Amino acid sequence: MRLADFASITPGVPFRSRIESEAEGSVCVVQARDLSAEGQIDVAGAARVRDVPGSARSELRHGDVVLQPRGTRFPAGLFEGSDRPAVAAAPLLVIRCDRTRIVPEFLLVLLRLPSTQAFLRQSAAGTYVPQVPRQAVEDIFIQLPDLPSQMRLVDLARLGRREVELMGRLREQRERLFEVAVREIAKKSRKRASAPGFNLDPAGASTPRGPLPKTT
């Protein structure tokens, strides 16, 4: 099935000038920088403006999936609500699912798959900043399980991301422990080198100071 068979894909709101956060802004503007690598949207850090071009139909709804179609990687994030109205700025695409057929969290998992990312890269046009046409996003082929199976697959993907996160932390801890071990060993070596009766021969081996013992 094509993605367009069970979801609508609409472009983000086009702003005529650079988006600058305003102190009295009442509308959150989600941009590409607000899409995290983990599939979340940083609404709290998004810019806020007073006026937004377009109509209220452009407002994001809970469960919308926002996709960045420009560049060489195409992050996506799930909009989980905000304490004020929010919109996605162009060139972002807003994907709104038919929830009787697909769970938004499952769509997010599918968009992050290496095979989907590869398809988007192949579909991108342009040399300076490649961009995926909306038609190509609509044509993403998806095998659609039933809703309970979709949720189980979402949980499985979440566990996989958690495993990667924990392995990354473990690697960082090993690196820190190795650095500590290097410093401690170097400190002990300096203490031994400065201890009385300790010297290094020209070859670098440690020898005691003083006359050599007589041999028979």
Side-chain angles (χ1 to χ4, degrees), residues 141-173:
F141 176 77
I142 294 178
Q143 295 183 2
L144 202 61
D146 57 77
L147 294 178
S149 297
Q150 291 180 31
M151 290 307 302
R152 287 193 292 269
L153 290 168
V154 168
D155 291 336
L156 183 61
R158 186 179 296 114
L159 290 174
R161 291 194 300 271
R162 180 60 175 166
E163 179 184 10
V164 171
E165 178 185 350
L166 292 176
M167 292 300 294
R169 291 183 181 179
L170 179 61
R171 183 178 61 255
E172 292 175 359
Q173 290 297 328

PDB file of all heavy atoms in Angstrom, residues 141-173:
ATOM      1  N   PHE A 141       6.040   2.792  -0.121  1.00  0.00           N
ATOM      2  CA  PHE A 141       5.330   1.516  -0.028  1.00  0.00           C
ATOM      3  C   PHE A 141       5.423   0.985   1.398  1.00  0.00           C
ATOM      4  O   PHE A 141       6.510   0.927   1.981  1.00  0.00           O
ATOM      5  CB  PHE A 141       5.930   0.511  -1.009  1.00  0.00           C
ATOM      6  CG  PHE A 141       5.307  -0.857  -0.915  1.00  0.00           C
ATOM      7  CD1 PHE A 141       4.063  -1.124  -1.466  1.00  0.00           C
ATOM      8  CD2 PHE A 141       5.953  -1.884  -0.242  1.00  0.00           C
ATOM      9  CE1 PHE A 141       3.484  -2.377  -1.369  1.00  0.00           C
ATOM     10  CE2 PHE A 141       5.390  -3.150  -0.141  1.00  0.00           C
ATOM     11  CZ  PHE A 141       4.152  -3.388  -0.706  1.00  0.00           C
ATOM     12  N   ILE A 142       4.285   0.599   1.950  1.00  0.00           N
ATOM     13  CA  ILE A 142       4.229   0.129   3.331  1.00  0.00           C
ATOM     14  C   ILE A 142       3.387  -1.138   3.406  1.00  0.00           C
ATOM     15  O   ILE A 142       2.281  -1.198   2.858  1.00  0.00           O
ATOM     16  CB  ILE A 142       3.629   1.209   4.260  1.00  0.00           C
ATOM     17  CG1 ILE A 142       4.560   2.416   4.341  1.00  0.00           C
ATOM     18  CG2 ILE A 142       3.375   0.644   5.662  1.00  0.00           C
ATOM     19  CD1 ILE A 142       4.022   3.542   5.180  1.00  0.00           C
ATOM     20  N   GLN A 143       3.931  -2.143   4.074  1.00  0.00           N
ATOM     21  CA  GLN A 143       3.144  -3.336   4.393  1.00  0.00           C
ATOM     22  C   GLN A 143       2.486  -3.084   5.744  1.00  0.00           C
ATOM     23  O   GLN A 143       3.172  -2.856   6.741  1.00  0.00           O
ATOM     24  CB  GLN A 143       4.049  -4.557   4.438  1.00  0.00           C
ATOM     25  CG  GLN A 143       4.673  -4.896   3.095  1.00  0.00           C
ATOM     26  CD  GLN A 143       5.511  -6.142   3.143  1.00  0.00           C
ATOM     27  OE1 GLN A 143       5.609  -6.792   4.170  1.00  0.00           O
ATOM     28  NE2 GLN A 143       6.113  -6.496   2.019  1.00  0.00           N
ATOM     29  N   LEU A 144       1.162  -3.129   5.771  1.00  0.00           N
ATOM     30  CA  LEU A 144       0.412  -2.661   6.936  1.00  0.00           C
ATOM     31  C   LEU A 144      -0.168  -3.826   7.732  1.00  0.00           C
ATOM     32  O   LEU A 144      -1.136  -4.457   7.315  1.00  0.00           O
ATOM     33  CB  LEU A 144      -0.711  -1.733   6.465  1.00  0.00           C
ATOM     34  CG  LEU A 144      -1.271  -0.757   7.495  1.00  0.00           C
ATOM     35  CD1 LEU A 144      -0.185   0.179   7.991  1.00  0.00           C
ATOM     36  CD2 LEU A 144      -2.397   0.047   6.860  1.00  0.00           C
ATOM     37  N   PRO A 145       0.404  -4.117   8.917  1.00  0.00           N
ATOM     38  CA  PRO A 145      -0.194  -5.141   9.790  1.00  0.00           C
ATOM     39  C   PRO A 145      -1.452  -4.593  10.460  1.00  0.00           C
ATOM     40  O   PRO A 145      -1.792  -3.418  10.330  1.00  0.00           O
ATOM     41  CB  PRO A 145       0.910  -5.408  10.818  1.00  0.00           C
ATOM     42  CG  PRO A 145       2.118  -4.658  10.347  1.00  0.00           C
ATOM     43  CD  PRO A 145       1.638  -3.570   9.463  1.00  0.00           C
ATOM     44  N   ASP A 146      -2.123  -5.449  11.219  1.00  0.00           N
ATOM     45  CA  ASP A 146      -3.290  -4.985  11.975  1.00  0.00           C
ATOM     46  C   ASP A 146      -2.826  -4.102  13.126  1.00  0.00           C
ATOM     47  O   ASP A 146      -1.655  -4.086  13.501  1.00  0.00           O
ATOM     48  CB  ASP A 146      -4.100  -6.177  12.497  1.00  0.00           C
ATOM     49  CG  ASP A 146      -3.259  -7.098  13.365  1.00  0.00           C
ATOM     50  OD1 ASP A 146      -3.012  -6.755  14.535  1.00  0.00           O
ATOM     51  OD2 ASP A 146      -2.816  -8.161  12.859  1.00  0.00           O
ATOM     52  N   LEU A 147      -3.751  -3.359  13.718  1.00  0.00           N
ATOM     53  CA  LEU A 147      -3.398  -2.371  14.743  1.00  0.00           C
ATOM     54  C   LEU A 147      -2.696  -2.984  15.963  1.00  0.00           C
ATOM     55  O   LEU A 147      -1.690  -2.430  16.424  1.00  0.00           O
ATOM     56  CB  LEU A 147      -4.648  -1.592  15.169  1.00  0.00           C
ATOM     57  CG  LEU A 147      -5.274  -0.703  14.087  1.00  0.00           C
ATOM     58  CD1 LEU A 147      -6.525  -0.022  14.628  1.00  0.00           C
ATOM     59  CD2 LEU A 147      -4.276   0.336  13.596  1.00  0.00           C
ATOM     60  N   PRO A 148      -3.197  -4.104  16.538  1.00  0.00           N
ATOM     61  CA  PRO A 148      -2.461  -4.684  17.686  1.00  0.00           C
ATOM     62  C   PRO A 148      -1.029  -5.077  17.334  1.00  0.00           C
ATOM     63  O   PRO A 148      -0.111  -4.877  18.135  1.00  0.00           O
ATOM     64  CB  PRO A 148      -3.315  -5.911  18.056  1.00  0.00           C
ATOM     65  CG  PRO A 148      -4.683  -5.593  17.551  1.00  0.00           C
ATOM     66  CD  PRO A 148      -4.471  -4.826  16.292  1.00  0.00           C
ATOM     67  N   SER A 149      -0.817  -5.606  16.136  1.00  0.00           N
ATOM     68  CA  SER A 149       0.536  -5.973  15.721  1.00  0.00           C
ATOM     69  C   SER A 149       1.398  -4.730  15.552  1.00  0.00           C
ATOM     70  O   SER A 149       2.596  -4.746  15.863  1.00  0.00           O
ATOM     71  CB  SER A 149       0.494  -6.757  14.406  1.00  0.00           C
ATOM     72  OG  SER A 149      -0.210  -7.978  14.558  1.00  0.00           O
ATOM     73  N   GLN A 150       0.804  -3.652  15.073  1.00  0.00           N
ATOM     74  CA  GLN A 150       1.554  -2.407  14.939  1.00  0.00           C
ATOM     75  C   GLN A 150       2.085  -1.945  16.304  1.00  0.00           C
ATOM     76  O   GLN A 150       3.253  -1.543  16.422  1.00  0.00           O
ATOM     77  CB  GLN A 150       0.669  -1.323  14.330  1.00  0.00           C
ATOM     78  CG  GLN A 150       0.310  -1.555  12.876  1.00  0.00           C
ATOM     79  CD  GLN A 150      -0.563  -0.440  12.330  1.00  0.00           C
ATOM     80  OE1 GLN A 150      -0.464   0.721  12.746  1.00  0.00           O
ATOM     81  NE2 GLN A 150      -1.440  -0.773  11.392  1.00  0.00           N
ATOM     82  N   MET A 151       1.241  -2.009  17.330  1.00  0.00           N
ATOM     83  CA  MET A 151       1.665  -1.570  18.648  1.00  0.00           C
ATOM     84  C   MET A 151       2.763  -2.463  19.204  1.00  0.00           C
ATOM     85  O   MET A 151       3.687  -1.988  19.872  1.00  0.00           O
ATOM     86  CB  MET A 151       0.465  -1.529  19.608  1.00  0.00           C
ATOM     87  CG  MET A 151      -0.528  -0.415  19.312  1.00  0.00           C
ATOM     88  SD  MET A 151       0.260   1.231  19.201  1.00  0.00           S
ATOM     89  CE  MET A 151       1.031   1.357  20.809  1.00  0.00           C
ATOM     90  N   ARG A 152       2.674  -3.757  18.940  1.00  0.00           N
ATOM     91  CA  ARG A 152       3.734  -4.660  19.415  1.00  0.00           C
ATOM     92  C   ARG A 152       5.051  -4.342  18.710  1.00  0.00           C
ATOM     93  O   ARG A 152       6.121  -4.367  19.347  1.00  0.00           O
ATOM     94  CB  ARG A 152       3.325  -6.111  19.177  1.00  0.00           C
ATOM     95  CG  ARG A 152       2.241  -6.610  20.126  1.00  0.00           C
ATOM     96  CD  ARG A 152       2.103  -8.117  20.073  1.00  0.00           C
ATOM     97  NE  ARG A 152       1.571  -8.567  18.777  1.00  0.00           N
ATOM     98  CZ  ARG A 152       0.289  -8.734  18.526  1.00  0.00           C
ATOM     99  NH1 ARG A 152      -0.614  -8.479  19.469  1.00  0.00           N
ATOM    100  NH2 ARG A 152      -0.118  -9.154  17.342  1.00  0.00           N
ATOM    101  N   LEU A 153       4.976  -4.008  17.442  1.00  0.00           N
ATOM    102  CA  LEU A 153       6.192  -3.650  16.711  1.00  0.00           C
ATOM    103  C   LEU A 153       6.758  -2.321  17.204  1.00  0.00           C
ATOM    104  O   LEU A 153       7.978  -2.131  17.248  1.00  0.00           O
ATOM    105  CB  LEU A 153       5.890  -3.584  15.212  1.00  0.00           C
ATOM    106  CG  LEU A 153       5.610  -4.934  14.550  1.00  0.00           C
ATOM    107  CD1 LEU A 153       5.040  -4.733  13.147  1.00  0.00           C
ATOM    108  CD2 LEU A 153       6.875  -5.774  14.497  1.00  0.00           C
ATOM    109  N   VAL A 154       5.887  -1.404  17.580  1.00  0.00           N
ATOM    110  CA  VAL A 154       6.344  -0.134  18.155  1.00  0.00           C
ATOM    111  C   VAL A 154       7.105  -0.385  19.456  1.00  0.00           C
ATOM    112  O   VAL A 154       8.171   0.193  19.702  1.00  0.00           O
ATOM    113  CB  VAL A 154       5.156   0.815  18.397  1.00  0.00           C
ATOM    114  CG1 VAL A 154       5.578   2.013  19.251  1.00  0.00           C
ATOM    115  CG2 VAL A 154       4.579   1.289  17.072  1.00  0.00           C
ATOM    116  N   ASP A 155       6.559  -1.264  20.306  1.00  0.00           N
ATOM    117  CA  ASP A 155       7.237  -1.602  21.563  1.00  0.00           C
ATOM    118  C   ASP A 155       8.590  -2.256  21.295  1.00  0.00           C
ATOM    119  O   ASP A 155       9.577  -1.978  21.994  1.00  0.00           O
ATOM    120  CB  ASP A 155       6.364  -2.545  22.399  1.00  0.00           C
ATOM    121  CG  ASP A 155       5.124  -1.851  22.940  1.00  0.00           C
ATOM    122  OD1 ASP A 155       5.154  -0.606  23.064  1.00  0.00           O
ATOM    123  OD2 ASP A 155       4.137  -2.539  23.251  1.00  0.00           O
ATOM    124  N   LEU A 156       8.650  -3.109  20.282  1.00  0.00           N
ATOM    125  CA  LEU A 156       9.903  -3.768  19.939  1.00  0.00           C
ATOM    126  C   LEU A 156      10.940  -2.747  19.475  1.00  0.00           C
ATOM    127  O   LEU A 156      12.113  -2.813  19.868  1.00  0.00           O
ATOM    128  CB  LEU A 156       9.654  -4.810  18.842  1.00  0.00           C
ATOM    129  CG  LEU A 156      10.868  -5.643  18.403  1.00  0.00           C
ATOM    130  CD1 LEU A 156      11.411  -6.448  19.575  1.00  0.00           C
ATOM    131  CD2 LEU A 156      10.478  -6.561  17.253  1.00  0.00           C
ATOM    132  N   ALA A 157      10.507  -1.805  18.659  1.00  0.00           N
ATOM    133  CA  ALA A 157      11.426  -0.759  18.203  1.00  0.00           C
ATOM    134  C   ALA A 157      11.900   0.101  19.367  1.00  0.00           C
ATOM    135  O   ALA A 157      13.066   0.504  19.424  1.00  0.00           O
ATOM    136  CB  ALA A 157      10.736   0.105  17.149  1.00  0.00           C
ATOM    137  N   ARG A 158      10.998   0.369  20.322  1.00  0.00           N
ATOM    138  CA  ARG A 158      11.381   1.166  21.486  1.00  0.00           C
ATOM    139  C   ARG A 158      12.439   0.443  22.315  1.00  0.00           C
ATOM    140  O   ARG A 158      13.397   1.051  22.799  1.00  0.00           O
ATOM    141  CB  ARG A 158      10.130   1.451  22.336  1.00  0.00           C
ATOM    142  CG  ARG A 158      10.396   2.409  23.496  1.00  0.00           C
ATOM    143  CD  ARG A 158       9.133   2.665  24.282  1.00  0.00           C
ATOM    144  NE  ARG A 158       8.117   3.345  23.491  1.00  0.00           N
ATOM    145  CZ  ARG A 158       6.964   2.821  23.141  1.00  0.00           C
ATOM    146  NH1 ARG A 158       6.656   1.571  23.508  1.00  0.00           N
ATOM    147  NH2 ARG A 158       6.096   3.508  22.420  1.00  0.00           N
ATOM    148  N   LEU A 159      12.278  -0.866  22.480  1.00  0.00           N
ATOM    149  CA  LEU A 159      13.279  -1.646  23.208  1.00  0.00           C
ATOM    150  C   LEU A 159      14.615  -1.638  22.476  1.00  0.00           C
ATOM    151  O   LEU A 159      15.681  -1.597  23.098  1.00  0.00           O
ATOM    152  CB  LEU A 159      12.788  -3.088  23.393  1.00  0.00           C
ATOM    153  CG  LEU A 159      11.624  -3.280  24.366  1.00  0.00           C
ATOM    154  CD1 LEU A 159      11.153  -4.734  24.333  1.00  0.00           C
ATOM    155  CD2 LEU A 159      12.027  -2.885  25.779  1.00  0.00           C
ATOM    156  N   GLY A 160      14.566  -1.697  21.145  1.00  0.00           N
ATOM    157  CA  GLY A 160      15.801  -1.654  20.371  1.00  0.00           C
ATOM    158  C   GLY A 160      16.543  -0.341  20.562  1.00  0.00           C
ATOM    159  O   GLY A 160      17.770  -0.331  20.712  1.00  0.00           O
ATOM    160  N   ARG A 161      15.803   0.781  20.558  1.00  0.00           N
ATOM    161  CA  ARG A 161      16.445   2.079  20.778  1.00  0.00           C
ATOM    162  C   ARG A 161      17.017   2.166  22.180  1.00  0.00           C
ATOM    163  O   ARG A 161      18.096   2.738  22.399  1.00  0.00           O
ATOM    164  CB  ARG A 161      15.431   3.212  20.542  1.00  0.00           C
ATOM    165  CG  ARG A 161      15.015   3.365  19.097  1.00  0.00           C
ATOM    166  CD  ARG A 161      14.306   4.698  18.888  1.00  0.00           C
ATOM    167  NE  ARG A 161      13.112   4.815  19.719  1.00  0.00           N
ATOM    168  CZ  ARG A 161      11.905   4.415  19.332  1.00  0.00           C
ATOM    169  NH1 ARG A 161      11.745   3.829  18.154  1.00  0.00           N
ATOM    170  NH2 ARG A 161      10.861   4.575  20.116  1.00  0.00           N
ATOM    171  N   ARG A 162      16.311   1.584  23.156  1.00  0.00           N
ATOM    172  CA  ARG A 162      16.800   1.591  24.530  1.00  0.00           C
ATOM    173  C   ARG A 162      18.091   0.795  24.644  1.00  0.00           C
ATOM    174  O   ARG A 162      19.023   1.195  25.356  1.00  0.00           O
ATOM    175  CB  ARG A 162      15.730   0.995  25.453  1.00  0.00           C
ATOM    176  CG  ARG A 162      16.111   0.940  26.923  1.00  0.00           C
ATOM    177  CD  ARG A 162      16.393   2.314  27.473  1.00  0.00           C
ATOM    178  NE  ARG A 162      16.634   2.264  28.904  1.00  0.00           N
ATOM    179  CZ  ARG A 162      17.168   3.256  29.609  1.00  0.00           C
ATOM    180  NH1 ARG A 162      17.515   4.389  28.996  1.00  0.00           N
ATOM    181  NH2 ARG A 162      17.361   3.141  30.910  1.00  0.00           N
ATOM    182  N   GLU A 163      18.157  -0.318  23.930  1.00  0.00           N
ATOM    183  CA  GLU A 163      19.381  -1.126  23.943  1.00  0.00           C
ATOM    184  C   GLU A 163      20.559  -0.351  23.369  1.00  0.00           C
ATOM    185  O   GLU A 163      21.657  -0.361  23.927  1.00  0.00           O
ATOM    186  CB  GLU A 163      19.163  -2.410  23.139  1.00  0.00           C
ATOM    187  CG  GLU A 163      20.396  -3.305  23.087  1.00  0.00           C
ATOM    188  CD  GLU A 163      20.194  -4.511  22.202  1.00  0.00           C
ATOM    189  OE1 GLU A 163      19.176  -4.566  21.485  1.00  0.00           O
ATOM    190  OE2 GLU A 163      21.055  -5.399  22.204  1.00  0.00           O
ATOM    191  N   VAL A 164      20.328   0.348  22.252  1.00  0.00           N
ATOM    192  CA  VAL A 164      21.387   1.146  21.648  1.00  0.00           C
ATOM    193  C   VAL A 164      21.850   2.239  22.611  1.00  0.00           C
ATOM    194  O   VAL A 164      23.052   2.507  22.755  1.00  0.00           O
ATOM    195  CB  VAL A 164      20.896   1.755  20.323  1.00  0.00           C
ATOM    196  CG1 VAL A 164      21.900   2.767  19.781  1.00  0.00           C
ATOM    197  CG2 VAL A 164      20.638   0.665  19.297  1.00  0.00           C
ATOM    198  N   GLU A 165      20.884   2.870  23.290  1.00  0.00           N
ATOM    199  CA  GLU A 165      21.222   3.922  24.247  1.00  0.00           C
ATOM    200  C   GLU A 165      22.082   3.381  25.389  1.00  0.00           C
ATOM    201  O   GLU A 165      23.093   3.980  25.774  1.00  0.00           O
ATOM    202  CB  GLU A 165      19.943   4.545  24.807  1.00  0.00           C
ATOM    203  CG  GLU A 165      20.173   5.621  25.844  1.00  0.00           C
ATOM    204  CD  GLU A 165      18.879   6.121  26.467  1.00  0.00           C
ATOM    205  OE1 GLU A 165      17.799   5.757  25.954  1.00  0.00           O
ATOM    206  OE2 GLU A 165      18.953   6.858  27.469  1.00  0.00           O
ATOM    207  N   LEU A 166      21.684   2.231  25.933  1.00  0.00           N
ATOM    208  CA  LEU A 166      22.431   1.646  27.046  1.00  0.00           C
ATOM    209  C   LEU A 166      23.830   1.209  26.606  1.00  0.00           C
ATOM    210  O   LEU A 166      24.807   1.376  27.349  1.00  0.00           O
ATOM    211  CB  LEU A 166      21.663   0.456  27.625  1.00  0.00           C
ATOM    212  CG  LEU A 166      20.358   0.806  28.341  1.00  0.00           C
ATOM    213  CD1 LEU A 166      19.636  -0.465  28.780  1.00  0.00           C
ATOM    214  CD2 LEU A 166      20.619   1.700  29.555  1.00  0.00           C
ATOM    215  N   MET A 167      23.942   0.645  25.397  1.00  0.00           N
ATOM    216  CA  MET A 167      25.246   0.242  24.899  1.00  0.00           C
ATOM    217  C   MET A 167      26.150   1.454  24.701  1.00  0.00           C
ATOM    218  O   MET A 167      27.356   1.398  24.961  1.00  0.00           O
ATOM    219  CB  MET A 167      25.095  -0.524  23.583  1.00  0.00           C
ATOM    220  CG  MET A 167      24.416  -1.887  23.732  1.00  0.00           C
ATOM    221  SD  MET A 167      25.329  -3.006  24.839  1.00  0.00           S
ATOM    222  CE  MET A 167      26.822  -3.253  23.883  1.00  0.00           C
ATOM    223  N   GLY A 168      25.567   2.567  24.260  1.00  0.00           N
ATOM    224  CA  GLY A 168      26.349   3.788  24.120  1.00  0.00           C
ATOM    225  C   GLY A 168      26.855   4.289  25.461  1.00  0.00           C
ATOM    226  O   GLY A 168      28.016   4.705  25.586  1.00  0.00           O
ATOM    227  N   ARG A 169      26.001   4.240  26.482  1.00  0.00           N
ATOM    228  CA  ARG A 169      26.440   4.668  27.813  1.00  0.00           C
ATOM    229  C   ARG A 169      27.534   3.750  28.353  1.00  0.00           C
ATOM    230  O   ARG A 169      28.488   4.202  28.991  1.00  0.00           O
ATOM    231  CB  ARG A 169      25.246   4.672  28.771  1.00  0.00           C
ATOM    232  CG  ARG A 169      24.220   5.746  28.481  1.00  0.00           C
ATOM    233  CD  ARG A 169      23.107   5.727  29.516  1.00  0.00           C
ATOM    234  NE  ARG A 169      22.097   6.722  29.250  1.00  0.00           N
ATOM    235  CZ  ARG A 169      21.016   6.896  29.996  1.00  0.00           C
ATOM    236  NH1 ARG A 169      20.825   6.112  31.058  1.00  0.00           N
ATOM    237  NH2 ARG A 169      20.130   7.832  29.690  1.00  0.00           N
ATOM    238  N   LEU A 170      27.385   2.440  28.104  1.00  0.00           N
ATOM    239  CA  LEU A 170      28.394   1.488  28.560  1.00  0.00           C
ATOM    240  C   LEU A 170      29.732   1.764  27.893  1.00  0.00           C
ATOM    241  O   LEU A 170      30.785   1.716  28.546  1.00  0.00           O
ATOM    242  CB  LEU A 170      27.925   0.062  28.248  1.00  0.00           C
ATOM    243  CG  LEU A 170      28.883  -1.077  28.654  1.00  0.00           C
ATOM    244  CD1 LEU A 170      29.108  -1.073  30.160  1.00  0.00           C
ATOM    245  CD2 LEU A 170      28.300  -2.420  28.210  1.00  0.00           C
ATOM    246  N   ARG A 171      29.708   2.066  26.600  1.00  0.00           N
ATOM    247  CA  ARG A 171      30.945   2.377  25.891  1.00  0.00           C
ATOM    248  C   ARG A 171      31.603   3.628  26.466  1.00  0.00           C
ATOM    249  O   ARG A 171      32.829   3.670  26.658  1.00  0.00           O
ATOM    250  CB  ARG A 171      30.655   2.573  24.407  1.00  0.00           C
ATOM    251  CG  ARG A 171      31.913   2.844  23.572  1.00  0.00           C
ATOM    252  CD  ARG A 171      31.589   2.977  22.105  1.00  0.00           C
ATOM    253  NE  ARG A 171      30.687   4.086  21.835  1.00  0.00           N
ATOM    254  CZ  ARG A 171      29.405   3.965  21.540  1.00  0.00           C
ATOM    255  NH1 ARG A 171      28.844   2.772  21.463  1.00  0.00           N
ATOM    256  NH2 ARG A 171      28.659   5.022  21.312  1.00  0.00           N
ATOM    257  N   GLU A 172      30.799   4.649  26.768  1.00  0.00           N
ATOM    258  CA  GLU A 172      31.343   5.876  27.353  1.00  0.00           C
ATOM    259  C   GLU A 172      31.968   5.602  28.717  1.00  0.00           C
ATOM    260  O   GLU A 172      33.041   6.139  29.038  1.00  0.00           O
ATOM    261  CB  GLU A 172      30.239   6.927  27.479  1.00  0.00           C
ATOM    262  CG  GLU A 172      29.727   7.446  26.146  1.00  0.00           C
ATOM    263  CD  GLU A 172      28.552   8.385  26.318  1.00  0.00           C
ATOM    264  OE1 GLU A 172      28.132   8.598  27.487  1.00  0.00           O
ATOM    265  OE2 GLU A 172      28.062   8.920  25.311  1.00  0.00           O
ATOM    266  N   GLN A 173      31.313   4.769  29.533  1.00  0.00           N
ATOM    267  CA  GLN A 173      31.858   4.442  30.845  1.00  0.00           C
ATOM    268  C   GLN A 173      33.184   3.693  30.726  1.00  0.00           C
ATOM    269  O   GLN A 173      34.120   3.932  31.484  1.00  0.00           O
ATOM    270  CB  GLN A 173      30.850   3.605  31.646  1.00  0.00           C
ATOM    271  CG  GLN A 173      29.618   4.374  32.096  1.00  0.00           C
ATOM    272  CD  GLN A 173      29.964   5.500  33.054  1.00  0.00           C
ATOM    273  OE1 GLN A 173      30.906   5.412  33.837  1.00  0.00           O
ATOM    274  NE2 GLN A 173      29.185   6.573  32.997  1.00  0.00           N
TER     275      GLN A 173
END
